[in-house]
């Protein structure tokens, strides 16, 4: 019997924080449990929430909906917070003051259905690795579904979950920060580099939230951890001190650990259960770049641990298509390739993306909402690998200045917005080059989200081809 809340147990008086996608999904699920398992259900929409169809539909189902307020009052057995609400916020603190515990949505979903979970986190590579594990399990004939930060809420999938199906969960630091009992069978930490520091308060707080993915693992489970950054190496030490079975992932250097995943002689190789398995030659695989080698190694290790055969893993790798907005090829015109990497919202992600293309043949588009992160490493990488950098948006001037000050051959071009930046990039590119949208910034200065930014880029490429050039 799991230590988590067993399916069918009473939840009592429950509060949900936030009326976005997550809050609405959780409240809808909980409304279906009234009155048998939920005595009362209250949703606080937050300061910016207002009347609309979501609020009305919940109210019609007996949910007490409080709009335009973060002043949580009452007494609750459980509160479920949406991931956009920081633990240090007044909203979260108000809920904590009058609730027995406050948890996040994946934690809640796990408590409702705790068997057969895989969990994946990291600053970069989460979505690709999650999708790969799901594809590998399906290739092996096992039912699996990608859930979590990848776009399909865990709670939404609960009612559709079939017996024996695996939940392969991409989990963000926001989601992990409020986890307590979450216990996947296998979990991965891909990397930790500066991101979301305004939410967590510090890099150490961000890293600690990521590491919570392992908090309940035991010697029967598997932790898959990169050995290629300091925070991950520290996590490996703590895991092994606890006796957790830990597989080291190394792309640049073969790990010396008993269980490991690495590249040897161009082959993805996994050392597991006392033997080595040559999984696939990288030259035959559609995913490119050092970062994707790490993603493929981590995913292969997890799938093999869960019972997939080498043949099933290889089939999934060979047939895998790039994730939308993550180093996604979107067209070619006049000998120039166009690649959409709008999902690259931090500097580390861009640096890794640049390794996927020939040095000196990249015209990179950088810019967007300025997170205020250090740009030194990014500027050096751009000067080492790119022929031109087109810097746009709110962060454009600061990025352009950093690239210039780093010194090097890279041409620096300024543009106000993405549309103008695209035109400038087309003008700078020559046959054999790649125009890469890999912004290193979030999109909120100009777009609703990174998906809208990526779709505009793809639309501009389509227009270029349809019109026979820039008009």
């Amino acid at each position: 019997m799991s230590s988590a809340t067993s399916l069918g147990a009473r939840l009592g008086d429950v509060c949900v924080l936030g009326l976005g996608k997550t809050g609405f999904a959780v409240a809808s699920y909980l409304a279906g449990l009234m009155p048998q398992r939920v005595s009362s259900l209250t949703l606080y929409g937050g300061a910016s929430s207002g009347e609309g169809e979501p609020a009305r539909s919940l109210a019609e189902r007996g949910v007490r909906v409080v709009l335009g307020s973060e002043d949580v009052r009452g007494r609750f057995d459980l509160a479920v917070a949406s991931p956009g609400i920081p633990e240090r916020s007044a909203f979260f603190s108000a809920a904590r003051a009058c609730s027995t515990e406050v948890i996040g949505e994946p934690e809640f979903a796990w408590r409702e259905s705790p068997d057969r979970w895989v969990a994946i986190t990291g600053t970069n590579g989460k979505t690709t690795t999650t999708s790969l594990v799901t594809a590998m399990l399906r290739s092996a004939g096992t039912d699996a579904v990608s859930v979590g930060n990848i776009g399909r809420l865990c709670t939404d999938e609960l009612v559709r979950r079939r017996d024996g199906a695996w939940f392969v969960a991409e989990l963000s630091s926001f989601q992990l920060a409020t986890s307590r009992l979450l216990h996947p069978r296998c979990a991965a930490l891909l990397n930790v580099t500066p991101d979301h520091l305004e939410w967590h308060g510090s890099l150490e707080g961000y890293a600690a939230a990521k590491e919570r993915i392992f908090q309940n693992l035991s010697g029967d489970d598997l932790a898959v951890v990169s050995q290629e950054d300091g925070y991950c190496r520290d996590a490996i030490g703590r895991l092994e001190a606890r006796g957790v079975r830990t597989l080291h992932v190394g792309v640049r250097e073969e790990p010396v650990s008993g269980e490991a995943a690495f590249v040897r002689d161009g082959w993805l190789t996994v050392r597991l259960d006392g033997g080595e398995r040559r999984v696939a030659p990288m030259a035959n695989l559609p995913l490119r770049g050092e970062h994707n080698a790490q993603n493929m190694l981590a995913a292969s290790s997890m799938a093999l641990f869960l019972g997939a055969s080498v043949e099933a893993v290889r089939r999934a790798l060979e047939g895998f298509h790039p994730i939308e907005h993550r180093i996604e090829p979107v067209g070619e015109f006049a000998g120039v390739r166009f690649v959409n990497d709008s999902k690259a919202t931090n500097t580390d992600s861009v640096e890794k993306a640049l390794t996927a293309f020939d040095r000196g043949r990249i015209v990179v588009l950088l810019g967007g909402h300025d997170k205020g992160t250090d740009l030194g490493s990014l500027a050096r990488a751009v000067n080492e690998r790119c022929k031109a950098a087109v810097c746009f948006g709110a962060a454009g001037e600061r990025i352009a200045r950093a690239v210039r000050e780093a010194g090097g051959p890279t041409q620096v071009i300024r543009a106000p917005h993405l549309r103008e930046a695209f035109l400038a990039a087309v003008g700078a590119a020559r046959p054999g080059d790649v125009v890469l949208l890999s912004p290193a910034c979030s999109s909120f200065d100009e777009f609703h989200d990174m998906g809208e930014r990526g779709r505009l880029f793809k639309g501009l490429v389509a227009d270029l081809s349809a019109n026979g050039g820039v008009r």
Side-chain angles (χ1 to χ4, degrees):
M1 174 69 70
S2 169
S3 61
T5 303
S6 60
L7 192 62
R10 284 198 62 79
L11 299 172
D13 299 310
V14 183
C15 175
V16 176
L17 307 183
L19 189 52
K21 179 181 178 181
T22 299
F24 179 76
V26 172
S28 297
Y29 178 86
L30 286 165
L33 305 182
M34 296 195 296
Q36 289 80 12
R37 296 181 58 208
V38 174
S39 305
S40 70
L41 179 58
T42 303
L43 181 141
Y44 281 83
S48 62
S49 61
E51 292 287 349
E53 180 55 33
R56 284 192 294 271
S57 67
L58 291 173
E60 288 170 0
R61 298 180 65 187
V63 181
R64 175 175 172 251
V65 180
V66 181
L67 301 173
S69 174
E70 298 180 354
D71 185 17
V72 182
R73 295 172 181 264
R75 193 68 224 165
F76 303 101
D77 298 294
L78 177 69
V80 183
S82 297
I85 303 171
E87 284 188 281
R88 299 180 299 126
S89 69
F91 194 8
F92 194 101
S93 297
R96 183 158 44 198
C98 56
S99 304
T100 302
E101 65 174 339
V102 185
I103 63 175
E105 184 266 340
E107 168 86 2
F108 171 72
W110 183 85
R111 294 185 186 194
E112 289 291 287
S113 184
D115 294 327
R116 292 181 174 249
W117 281 65
V118 179
I120 296 153
T121 196
T123 306
N124 299 304
K126 299 185 296 295
T127 300
T128 298
T129 305
T130 299
S131 301
L132 279 168
V133 173
T134 302
M136 290 169 181
L137 292 176
R138 289 176 176 172
S139 175
T142 302
D143 196 1
V145 60
S146 298
V147 297
N149 197 58
I150 200 167
R152 301 173 71 172
L153 290 173
C154 307
T155 303
D156 278 344
E157 294 298 320
L158 284 177
V159 295
R160 294 191 283 268
R161 192 176 194 185
R162 294 181 289 271
D163 289 342
W166 284 90
F167 270 9
V168 185
E170 175 189 331
L171 299 179
S172 70
S173 58
F174 303 161
Q175 294 168 321
L176 287 165
T178 50
S179 67
R180 188 168 68 86
L181 301 177
L182 179 72
H183 185 168
R185 182 74 176 86
C186 184
L189 175 61
L190 302 171
N191 42 62
V192 177
T193 58
D195 204 8
H196 303 304
L197 303 190
E198 72 288 355
W199 200 95
H200 293 280
S202 67
L203 179 55
E204 290 70 25
Y206 170 66
K210 291 288 190 188
E211 196 173 336
R212 288 178 75 89
I213 201 167
F214 302 126
Q215 63 186 325
N216 295 308
L217 265 61
S218 68
D220 295 328
D221 305 310
L222 182 68
V224 175
V225 192
S226 166
Q227 65 174 23
E228 294 181 342
D229 72 63
Y231 283 98
C232 289
R233 287 191 294 273
D234 289 345
I236 287 172
R238 286 186 285 270
L239 284 163
E240 293 180 339
R242 283 170 44 202
V244 177
R245 186 178 178 185
T246 306
L247 183 145
H248 302 212
V249 179
V251 177
R252 303 184 194 110
E253 185 176 336
E254 181 177 328
V256 297
S257 56
E259 298 197 307
F262 48 90
V263 179
R264 182 193 288 159
D265 299 328
W267 278 73
L268 300 176
T269 306
V270 176
R271 189 160 60 235
L272 185 68
D273 296 326
E276 282 190 4
R277 310 176 203 186
R278 282 168 37 109
V279 177
M282 289 186 61
N284 292 355
L285 305 179
L287 294 179
R288 294 282 185 264
E290 182 180 288
H291 62 295
N292 273 325
Q294 182 187 70
N295 298 337
M296 291 187 288
L297 287 168
S300 299
S301 303
M302 299 176 90
L304 290 169
F305 172 74
L306 296 172
S309 67
V310 170
E311 293 73 21
V313 170
R314 185 178 300 146
R315 281 196 305 271
L317 287 168
E318 291 174 345
F320 191 78
H321 298 292
I323 304 297
E324 186 179 20
H325 310 304
R326 190 68 185 104
I327 315 187
E328 176 194 12
V330 295
E332 183 173 329
F333 180 76
V336 176
R337 290 183 295 147
F338 293 84
V339 177
N340 168 30
D341 194 34
S342 184
K343 196 174 176 65
T345 58
N346 57 68
T347 58
D348 184 66
S349 184
V350 177
E351 291 177 48
K352 289 181 168 67
L354 295 179
T355 68
F357 307 100
D358 292 339
R359 189 186 302 267
R361 305 308 303 263
I362 307 166
V363 179
V364 63
L365 283 76
L366 298 162
H369 172 70
D370 195 345
K371 294 182 180 181
T373 52
D374 181 80
L375 300 174
S377 179
L378 172 69
R380 290 189 293 274
V382 168
N383 273 289
E384 288 170 3
R385 302 202 64 87
C386 300
K387 70 180 295 182
V390 185
C391 306
F392 66 95
E397 183 53 43
R398 195 166 77 91
I399 295 173
R401 185 167 59 251
V403 174
R404 290 192 189 102
E405 290 175 354
T410 301
Q411 179 187 9
V412 178
I413 305 169
R414 282 284 286 117
H417 302 104
L418 177 56
R419 190 177 296 272
E420 293 87 352
F422 177 82
L423 296 176
V426 171
R430 297 294 179 267
D433 291 345
V434 59
V435 171
L436 171 68
L437 171 65
S438 193
C441 300
S442 57
S443 58
F444 304 126
D445 61 331
E446 188 178 351
F447 303 98
H448 176 69
D449 56 25
M450 67 86 192
E452 182 183 355
R453 177 171 62 190
R455 287 188 291 274
L456 174 61
F457 178 78
K458 293 198 285 186
L460 292 170
V461 175
D463 290 345
L464 184 70
S465 299
N467 296 330
V470 176
R471 294 289 177 89

